[in-house]
Amino acid sequence: MSTSSQLLSRRAFGRLAAGVAATAGAGALSACAGGGGKPSADAPLRIMAINHVWSQAVKRRVAEFEERVGRRVSMTLLTADQLAGSYNVKLNASGTDVDVMMVRALQEQLLFGHNGWLADLSDRVADDRFAWDDFQDAPREASVTAGKVLSVPVVTERPALYYRKDLVADLGGPPRTLEALMEGARELTRRKDGFYGYVGRGQRSGAVSQWSSFLYSFGGDFVVDGKSGIGSAEAVAAYEYYGRLLAGSGPPGATNMSLEQAMPVFAQGKAAFFVDADAIYSSFLDPKVSRVRETVGFAPFPAGPAGAKPHNIPSWSLGINTFSRLRDEAWEFIRWAAGPEMSAALQKEGIPGARTSAWSDPKTLSAFPSELAEAMRINAERGVGYDRPRVLQVGRARDIVGRPLVAGILGQSVRPVVRDADAEFAEFLVRDNRHKES
């Protein structure tokens, strides 16, 4: 999932970005060369993945795949920083010692595609047996870079509105609009008692992904017609709204809060509302860490002036190293791991996938609380396929876009900060687009 614990560190992303110019030309040549002859039958298919519940579940089943293709599989699970560092070393050297890569389509795919590190899967996904049309529109579209399918989504994520069922009865139930969320949060805030109407991410860069749903629901976007969109009237309204929400109803120190700091506030019963990734729901049902397991409710993202437009993203996807000498076998792994049967089986275990067929089958949703399953389904239908600017240097973009969020949460005037950030982001996009097209 795309929580802060899984985001690339700035240092790791900087190392990746530093390799762009050096790799783009050499990578293309190596890809054409095909990385040499095919390895012997004893050579394993090597998979590098994030240490995630999806990867763990697939690893437990990998013997099934080995029997299917007659080749041993070596599957390495790493932290996000370890994975980023390994990709940087191996791919900058045109390494052939990784075949299947677990990547984030919205964080590093554009850069990897620019470098020539990911194989084009367009022809492979067109195989009718794979049913590419079965994938949800938003995650499927996020898998495409420069007209090429570079990855296949395997884990998806949307925002959920977590709320206290015992507190919303007098409010007419969970808020269905952002206006009602603001009013309910203010009404329920009791600062003297250490209780807050709303808690959410407020850290400059980390808050951007969750704020994106507010931005879209106000009618704004990060980039419009290739230019900065964060200075639009709609974006300013979204900045001001989010700032007022946390400034008026949030806990102190909100600008230092990432997921790891915000989530415990709600779990310990100190907040009425919380918007964050639906993938973290189990934390609120775990008696070891939660005091709200009997009272937590789940609802779709509330509607803003432009309607309810939450993000619906592929948090993790599978791609093939363009330098791999086992590209056919790597595709067979993806076809198996992201196929309809596996997607349904894993979703039954509570791991949200990207296939429409799995989401439309009541059996696959039985692992989720029924109210959450319905909220996830609705959010997926309404979803926008990205939760951050789609640029090469994602970390830098988030840092710029997040600056007005901090100002609003601190109770400062947002408009002058937005003007500066909009100008900076506009200049950034010019440089980033030149880089992308070079």
Side-chain angles (χ1 to χ4, degrees):
M1 66 188 145
S2 73
T3 61
S4 56
S5 63
Q6 295 174 327
L7 293 176
L8 282 173
S9 68
R10 292 182 186 175
R11 182 180 301 173
F13 191 81
R15 290 197 302 268
L16 289 171
V20 171
T23 306
L29 290 174
S30 296
C32 292
K38 193 159 188 170
S40 69
D42 294 334
L45 181 71
R46 287 153 299 196
I47 298 158
M48 293 187 66
I50 189 73
N51 189 8
H52 182 279
V53 289
W54 183 91
S55 314
Q56 294 162 5
V58 169
K59 191 171 186 178
R60 290 193 298 269
R61 294 169 165 84
V62 82
E64 172 191 327
F65 177 75
E66 291 175 323
E67 183 177 349
R68 174 175 173 172
V69 298
R71 185 179 290 274
R72 183 167 56 90
V73 170
S74 172
M75 191 168 181
T76 303
L77 306 187
L78 301 171
T79 67
D81 278 353
Q82 289 171 335
L83 196 63
S86 294
Y87 287 157
N88 184 48
V89 171
K90 293 178 184 296
L91 301 176
N92 262 312
S94 303
T96 62
D97 55 342
V98 56
D99 303 300
V100 179
M101 301 163 55
M102 199 166 180
V103 297
R104 287 164 295 186
L106 298 173
Q107 188 73 18
E108 58 250 344
Q109 178 173 302
L110 191 59
L111 176 63
F112 285 11
H114 178 82
N115 283 4
W117 288 350
L118 289 170
D120 184 0
L121 305 179
S122 302
D123 289 342
R124 297 186 187 271
V125 300
D127 185 337
D128 290 342
R129 295 173 298 171
F130 189 61
W132 184 233
D133 288 345
D134 183 37
F135 287 81
Q136 295 172 339
D137 290 344
R140 189 174 69 239
E141 291 167 4
S143 303
V144 178
T145 294
K148 299 177 181 178
V149 178
L150 296 185
S151 66
V152 172
V154 290
V155 184
T156 59
E157 180 181 294
R158 296 136 298 273
L161 171 63
Y162 299 99
Y163 69 94
R164 288 278 299 277
K165 292 188 289 187
D166 55 323
L167 299 177
V168 302
D170 292 341
L171 303 178
R176 297 184 178 182
T177 66
L178 291 177
E179 182 180 4
L181 174 62
M182 178 76 77
E183 293 174 354
R186 286 177 172 173
E187 184 174 334
L188 294 171
T189 297
R190 303 189 305 274
R191 292 189 181 275
K192 291 189 297 182
D193 301 327
F195 187 83
Y196 308 98
Y198 183 85
V199 65
R201 302 187 200 188
Q203 200 174 59
R204 178 167 169 170
S205 177
V208 170
S209 58
Q210 294 307 316
W211 176 71
S212 67
S213 297
F214 294 83
L215 173 65
Y216 306 148
S217 298
F218 269 88
D221 207 335
F222 296 110
V223 179
V224 179
D225 296 329
K227 299 179 181 179
S228 172
I230 66 172
S232 70
E234 294 82 3
V236 170
Y239 276 125
E240 291 179 336
Y241 174 91
Y242 198 76
R244 291 197 309 272
L245 183 63
L246 274 170
S249 305
T255 57
N256 295 317
M257 286 188 169
S258 63
L259 172 67
E260 286 80 4
Q261 290 77 42
M263 183 170 65
V265 175
F266 186 85
Q268 292 301 305
K270 297 179 180 179
F273 302 108
F274 177 40
V275 171
D276 214 291
D278 52 21
I280 65 171
Y281 77 93
S282 59
S283 299
F284 304 130
L285 303 178
D286 184 352
K288 296 179 182 177
V289 297
S290 176
R291 295 183 179 178
V292 297
R293 57 190 303 262
E294 300 295 336
T295 58
V296 61
F298 314 95
F301 189 81
K309 295 185 177 181
H311 64 256
N312 178 33
I313 63 165
S315 48
W316 289 100
S317 303
L318 297 178
I320 296 177
N321 175 15
T322 195
F323 310 120
S324 167
R325 294 186 292 165
L326 291 172
R327 289 192 290 275
D328 289 341
E329 290 84 350
W331 170 249
E332 282 303 310
F333 178 85
I334 294 177
R335 196 160 70 87
W336 170 75
E341 296 81 7
M342 182 66 76
S343 297
L346 296 184
Q347 195 148 309
K348 287 179 182 176
E349 295 183 11
I351 304 171
R355 284 189 175 270
T356 302
S357 56
W359 283 100
S360 60
D361 183 355
K363 294 179 181 177
T364 67
L365 301 179
S366 60
F368 305 103
S370 58
E371 189 183 35
L372 176 63
E374 180 63 6
M376 294 166 81
R377 185 190 64 77
I378 292 172
N379 284 338
E381 288 180 354
R382 299 170 175 172
V384 177
Y386 52 96
D387 63 347
R388 64 204 76 183
R390 301 195 69 183
V391 295
L392 284 172
Q393 301 177 65
V394 180
R396 177 63 183 140
R398 290 169 66 129
D399 195 54
I400 297 170
V401 171
R403 187 148 53 93
L405 287 173
V406 173
I409 296 168
L410 292 176
Q412 301 170 1
S413 175
V414 165
R415 291 177 182 270
V417 183
V418 170
R419 281 197 298 271
D420 290 345
D422 182 49
E424 185 178 4
F425 192 47
E427 292 178 4
F428 164 86
L429 288 173
V430 171
R431 296 192 302 271
D432 191 82
N433 286 335
R434 284 176 180 167
H435 196 188
K436 197 163 47 177
E437 295 165 1
S438 62

